[in-house]
Amino acid sequence: MNFIIDNFEKIKAIVNNNKINIIAVSKSFQHDHIKPLIDYGHTHFGENKVQEATNKWLNIKNQIPEINLHLIGRLQSNKAKEAIKLFDYIHSLDSLKLASLLAKFEQSLNLKRKYFIQVNIGAEKQKNGIQIEQVDEFYYYCKKTLQLNIVGLMAIPPLGKDISKYFKLLMEFNQSLGLSELSMGMSSDFREALKYETTFVRIGSAIFGNRS
Ligand SMILES: *Cc1c(COP(=O)(O)O)cnc(C)c1O
């Protein structure tokens, strides 16, 4: 068996829940490298750069419409239009300006996408995301005024040993907003995220190997 399929099956066994989606994060890997998992029938893949993702996935998505592509990296305003043409899910909704632009392009392109609001759960200066105190207001604005389909919250917790505290906080926030999906957990910490009702884990290196 291909080592990627092997890795994927191991993660699936740990997750052990069909309602939890495993996003195979294929950023920085070439098509040849990820092809075994596509051929295996997996349908959720994640990328962090719009241009790289377009080059890699546009043809594949045309051939296999079942594939769901997730943007997990920062989205610059000038890439917003290209991004919503390609991605089914955007996990990095992190500003009013971006949200307004996406709403505008959804209208002009007649598209509806699914969004996660990225929360700066550890209030870190260097990290993107909506500040915790502003999540409520931001969510209602996106949903009511802009009519974006917000499915849940997303966060990357601060490095360190208190990860479960942040996962719990995000879970509680998500519940208080009545949202059904939750994007948290990466290769190093998805086991922890599973304890806090995550529904989308974003796994790169544990499936595809280390990125150079
Ligand atoms: C790269 C990336 C991942 C996957 O990271 P791994 O440690 O390789 O699993 C998950 N989420 C985000 C936002 C990323 O940028």
Side-chain angles (χ1 to χ4, degrees):
M1 207 194 280
N2 179 287
F3 81 96
I4 289 168
I5 307 299
D6 205 29
N7 288 344
F8 174 74
E9 279 298 335
K10 278 182 193 144
I11 287 169
K12 213 169 131 185
I14 296 169
V15 168
N16 190 28
N17 183 339
N18 284 333
K19 294 199 190 91
I20 298 176
N21 302 284
I22 300 168
I23 302 173
V25 177
S26 50
K27 64 187 186 195
S28 88
F29 289 107
Q30 305 280 328
H31 175 255
D32 284 356
H33 192 84
I34 58 186
K35 189 173 184 296
L37 196 56
I38 300 171
D39 293 346
Y40 195 59
H42 188 57
T43 54
H44 287 278
F45 290 87
E47 293 282 343
N48 68 339
K49 295 202 180 90
V50 178
Q51 191 57 56
E52 178 187 336
T54 303
N55 295 342
K56 210 188 290 180
W57 288 99
L58 194 59
N59 284 340
I60 302 173
K61 279 203 79 187
N62 286 335
Q63 285 160 21
I64 314 172
E66 294 78 21
I67 284 186
N68 282 285
L69 209 54
H70 298 256
L71 180 65
I72 59 168
R74 183 95 200 259
L75 179 53
Q76 311 279 350
S77 305
N78 62 355
K79 300 274 173 63
K81 189 172 186 181
E82 201 184 337
I84 73 158
K85 284 188 191 165
L86 182 71
F87 288 96
D88 304 281
Y89 291 78
I90 292 176
H91 293 239
S92 46
L93 190 58
D94 65 356
S95 76
L96 277 177
K97 184 182 168 198
L98 180 62
S100 308
L101 264 179
L102 289 164
K104 189 181 93 179
F105 291 134
E106 278 199 345
Q107 279 219 316
S108 64
L109 297 167
N110 194 25
L111 288 169
K112 277 310 239 184
R113 297 308 191 199
K114 300 190 181 97
Y115 300 93
F116 287 89
I117 294 172
Q118 183 167 356
V119 180
N120 189 350
I121 196 77
E124 295 173 280
K125 282 210 176 59
Q126 75 283 11
K127 273 211 186 120
N128 303 321
I130 302 293
Q131 301 306 317
I132 293 177
E133 316 79 57
Q134 283 154 14
V135 171
D136 247 52
E137 194 185 342
F138 183 74
Y139 167 66
Y140 286 107
Y141 184 80
C142 289
K143 182 183 150 96
K144 297 263 159 61
T145 308
L146 299 178
Q147 309 266 306
L148 293 176
N149 183 11
I150 309 290
V151 296
L153 301 181
M154 175 275 208
I156 308 166
L159 287 175
K161 55 179 178 328
D162 252 354
I163 279 179
S164 54
K165 176 179 110 184
Y166 294 105
F167 284 156
K168 182 163 182 280
L169 196 59
L170 198 70
M171 175 189 78
E172 289 168 352
F173 249 116
N174 216 55
Q175 288 169 346
S176 75
L177 296 173
L179 292 167
S180 59
E181 311 298 335
L182 191 49
S183 169
M184 58 185 199
M186 308 171 36
S187 293
S188 59
D189 59 16
F190 75 96
R191 288 172 186 79
E192 204 57 32
L194 293 172
K195 298 179 193 159
Y196 298 98
E197 302 183 10
T198 186
T199 64
F200 284 86
V201 291
R202 312 179 305 265
I203 316 274
S205 49
I207 294 176
F208 294 113
N210 288 325
R211 293 177 292 274
S212 48

